[in-house]
Amino acid sequence: MGKNVLVIEDEPNIIEAISFILSRDGWSVATHSNGHDAVGVVQDAMPDLVILDVMLPGKTGYDILRELRSEDATQSLPVLMLTAKGQIKDREMAERAGASRFMTKPFSNAEVLDAVRELVAG
């Protein structure tokens, strides 16, 4: 496969879990842990997929996603949003911001892998 994924998440255990799952499946995983400069990091890395947490220090995942969707280079970049909040309003906000897919924490390894494969293949 050899695709590149950028995980923007501030919880070390989640970063470690996702990195392990995807690396084991042949993905190249880069990580970033704050919202302040996340848009610039995405633009510099230009990954095949971004896994983006909603609650980040500095800027929310929703704000980051809206910025990414407003730029030509990242407008159609697949973004999997992760959140500990699974309410309908959170899903709706993610959809309005332009999320390709939405997943609540905790998640299973298989769920993450299936979502990433589907988003990059599709």
Side-chain angles (χ1 to χ4, degrees), residues 12 14 17 25 32 44 46 102 104 115-116 121:
I14 304 256
D25 195 54
H32 190 69
D44 289 345
M46 285 312 291
F102 182 87
T104 55
V116 167

Side-chain angles (χ1 to χ4, degrees), residues 3-47:
K3 298 280 187 177
N4 297 306
V5 177
L6 175 60
V7 179
I8 303 173
E9 166 67 64
D10 63 329
E11 293 181 42
N13 57 336
I14 304 256
I15 293 169
E16 191 176 323
I18 292 173
S19 296
F20 176 75
I21 296 162
L22 297 178
S23 296
R24 195 177 60 192
D25 195 54
W27 297 79
S28 174
V29 181
T31 62
H32 190 69
S33 58
N34 75 68
H36 298 287
D37 55 354
V39 172
V41 171
V42 171
Q43 291 169 332
D44 289 345
M46 285 312 291

Side-chain angles (χ1 to χ4, degrees), residues 3-122:
K3 298 280 187 177
N4 297 306
V5 177
L6 175 60
V7 179
I8 303 173
E9 166 67 64
D10 63 329
E11 293 181 42
N13 57 336
I14 304 256
I15 293 169
E16 191 176 323
I18 292 173
S19 296
F20 176 75
I21 296 162
L22 297 178
S23 296
R24 195 177 60 192
D25 195 54
W27 297 79
S28 174
V29 181
T31 62
H32 190 69
S33 58
N34 75 68
H36 298 287
D37 55 354
V39 172
V41 171
V42 171
Q43 291 169 332
D44 289 345
M46 285 312 291
D48 298 298
L49 170 82
V50 171
I51 297 177
L52 179 61
D53 187 25
V54 169
M55 304 292 283
L56 290 164
K59 192 181 284 186
T60 71
Y62 300 125
D63 291 336
I64 293 164
L65 185 53
R66 279 191 281 273
E67 281 186 55
L68 292 173
R69 292 298 182 236
S70 71
E71 299 291 328
D72 289 340
T74 53
Q75 199 167 38
S76 60
L77 177 67
V79 176
L80 170 60
M81 289 210 75
L82 293 179
T83 184
K85 302 185 209 174
Q87 280 124 13
I88 291 170
K89 69 178 176 81
D90 298 307
R91 272 183 199 278
E92 289 170 350
M93 282 178 68
E95 285 172 17
R96 276 199 303 277
S100 310
R101 188 135 171 207
F102 182 87
M103 191 174 291
T104 55
K105 298 175 195 173
F107 45 78
S108 73
N109 293 0
E111 269 183 301
V112 172
L113 212 47
D114 288 348
V116 167
R117 287 174 176 164
E118 182 183 301
L119 287 170
V120 173

